[in-house]
Amino acid sequence: MKPFSYVSPRTEKEAIGALSAEPEKVMPLAGGQDLLARLKDYVAQPDRIVNVKAALDATVSPMPGGGLKIGAAMKVADLAEHAEVAKLYPAIALAAIEVGTPQIRNQGTVGGNLNQRPRCWYFRNEEFVCFKKGGNQCFSPAGENQFHAIFGGGPSFIVHPSSLAVPSVAYGATFRLAGPKGERMVPAAEYFTMPTLQNVKTENVLAPNELLTHVILPAPGAVKSGHYEVRYKASHDWPIAFATVVVAMNGDTVRSARIVMGAVAPIPWRAQAAEAALVGKPLNEQTAAAAADAAVRDARPLSQNGYKVQVARTAVKRAILNAAGIKTV
Ligand SMILES: Cc1cc2nc3c(=O)[nH]c(=O)nc-3n(C[C@H](O)[C@H](O)[C@H](O)COP(=O)(O)OP(=O)(O)OC[C@H]3O[C@@H](n4cnc5c(N)ncnc54)[C@H](O)[C@@H]3O)c2cc1C
């Protein structure tokens, strides 16, 4: 890898001071599960690395009026085992438990997980200069695209790699970002950005000299939630497709629903047609199947990933049934 200088600040302010407004010059490092691999593959070549683990909050704290604030330096393993998180936001805990392996969860952090870069094999190979690396094409439509987007693709067809991003959007989380001009609060649903020719090199609104410091979850109220991930095998890998469902009930029928799919689009993908299909209905096998059909109706698979449509459909259906407390396979 290219040589770089390294600093390990002790406070958020020092960490922000050590970053740079110039993209690629200076990069934050948390658990290093993603960044070190990109450094070794010459996909990222910063001049300086800023270790943010000691500078950022690694705890969960209650918010006034309800809700929880999760520090970005918290390990995914600690999030997965946090009793209050599991009680109030079970889909967050379930997503955390399924990330990678115990070793990866023990090293990876919440901030690093949400900001990890795409797993696209063209992006990860230094020889393919794709849109994301300043090139003028995405290699996946005409290439190997088994794991790429079935919704919202183009000009880049990556899928967002973060498992924690999807329940964050579904629960209506807000991300606290800190930079040289102070802090700003960005709803998780607006943090992740669709690729356009202007911003295709990034996946979110974070500026190069900002840090994501906290995930703030609103008071959950009386909601039911479900989360379901589909992988090739029950081993360490990213899911092929997954979904988080959060529903508020009015007696036996659904008053409102938020259904978000993961690993199917460049951002956590809100399935609004599926949400509309559930409102006013009871939660059961038939309504879950109808909502799942609606969720994938507008899918636009590439040449090799048509199978993901059925996988995503199944993930949505089972996440709804999980929310209803109905056992799935
Ligand atoms: C075999 C394998 C399986 C995996 N399976 C899954 C899976 O199923 N689901 C899943 O979600 N992930 C999965 N991962 C990815 C892994 O969870 C992430 O790489 C890890 O969580 C990243 O966290 P980190 O702290 O190590 O990040 P780092 O590698 O340190 O950082 C990742 C990126 O985020 C930036 N960054 C770090 N912290 C901040 C911050 N606070 N603010 C702004 N930017 C920041 C860094 O600059 C870097 O670009 C898997 C990884 C492997 C190797």
Side-chain angles (χ1 to χ4, degrees):
M1 68 176 82
K2 192 188 109 176
F4 53 81
S5 61
Y6 175 86
V7 288
S8 195
R10 309 301 297 179
T11 65
E12 180 185 299
K13 200 169 164 209
E14 281 174 24
I16 288 158
L19 294 172
S20 159
E22 282 185 72
E24 299 289 315
K25 280 245 171 213
V26 184
M27 288 184 180
L29 170 79
Q33 295 285 287
D34 169 38
L35 184 56
L36 284 183
R38 283 189 283 124
L39 293 176
K40 287 193 250 179
D41 289 341
Y42 291 91
V43 173
Q45 302 191 51
D47 297 332
R48 185 166 68 220
I49 294 284
V50 181
N51 176 2
V52 297
K53 280 201 296 297
L56 298 183
D57 184 11
T59 66
V60 173
S61 48
M63 290 294 289
L68 292 179
K69 183 161 116 175
I70 301 168
M74 184 171 217
K75 289 179 178 176
V76 176
D78 293 337
L79 181 67
E81 287 170 10
H82 199 280
E84 197 69 1
V85 170
K87 188 172 134 209
L88 298 178
Y89 312 97
I92 296 264
L94 282 173
I97 288 164
E98 295 213 39
V99 166
T101 63
Q103 292 88 341
I104 289 162
R105 295 193 288 277
N106 210 29
Q107 184 72 20
T109 63
V110 171
N113 184 279
L114 292 167
N115 289 289
Q116 62 179 299
R117 301 300 312 277
R119 301 307 305 181
C120 171
W121 34 47
Y122 297 110
F123 169 68
R124 297 260 160 186
N125 186 324
E126 65 167 314
E127 295 188 4
F128 288 90
V129 185
C130 67
F131 278 130
K132 290 208 166 281
K133 291 183 287 197
N136 61 4
Q137 63 177 307
C138 174
F139 292 88
S140 64
E144 296 292 326
N145 52 46
Q146 293 91 318
F147 302 115
H148 288 77
I150 56 171
F151 293 99
S156 161
F157 288 81
I158 63 125
V159 294
H160 200 278
S162 168
S163 293
L164 299 182
V166 170
S168 297
V169 172
Y171 282 118
T174 298
F175 294 163
R176 177 182 180 268
L177 313 185
K181 291 189 192 139
E183 67 171 27
R184 59 184 179 126
M185 300 292 180
V186 179
E190 292 166 26
Y191 183 73
F192 303 101
T193 47
M194 287 292 284
T196 64
L197 282 177
Q198 287 70 43
N199 73 1
V200 67
K201 286 165 91 176
T202 62
E203 290 82 47
N204 54 51
V205 298
L206 192 79
N209 55 1
E210 284 183 314
L211 290 171
L212 191 160
T213 69
H214 293 93
V215 175
I216 300 165
L217 290 156
V223 296
K224 297 169 184 274
S225 50
H227 183 83
Y228 197 91
E229 303 193 4
V230 184
R231 286 177 167 75
Y232 261 122
K233 52 187 178 177
S235 174
H236 60 278
D237 211 345
W238 281 259
I240 294 167
F242 65 107
T244 301
V245 171
V246 178
V247 286
M249 302 298 288
N250 197 357
D252 285 341
T253 58
V254 172
R255 179 159 47 83
S256 65
R258 222 181 262 173
I259 300 179
V260 186
M261 290 187 276
V264 295
I267 57 171
W269 191 255
R270 188 128 175 227
Q272 280 165 328
E275 296 170 359
L278 271 191
V279 171
K281 309 269 173 35
L283 291 175
N284 58 38
E285 184 75 37
Q286 287 72 34
T287 57
D293 285 341
V296 296
R297 199 160 291 138
D298 292 333
R300 296 279 175 276
L302 297 163
S303 58
Q304 299 170 355
N305 66 2
Y307 76 99
K308 283 184 72 167
V309 177
Q310 175 58 24
V311 175
R313 183 185 172 281
T314 300
V316 170
K317 182 179 168 197
R318 291 184 183 179
I320 295 170
L321 293 176
N322 281 355
I326 299 170
K327 204 167 160 25
T328 56
V329 190

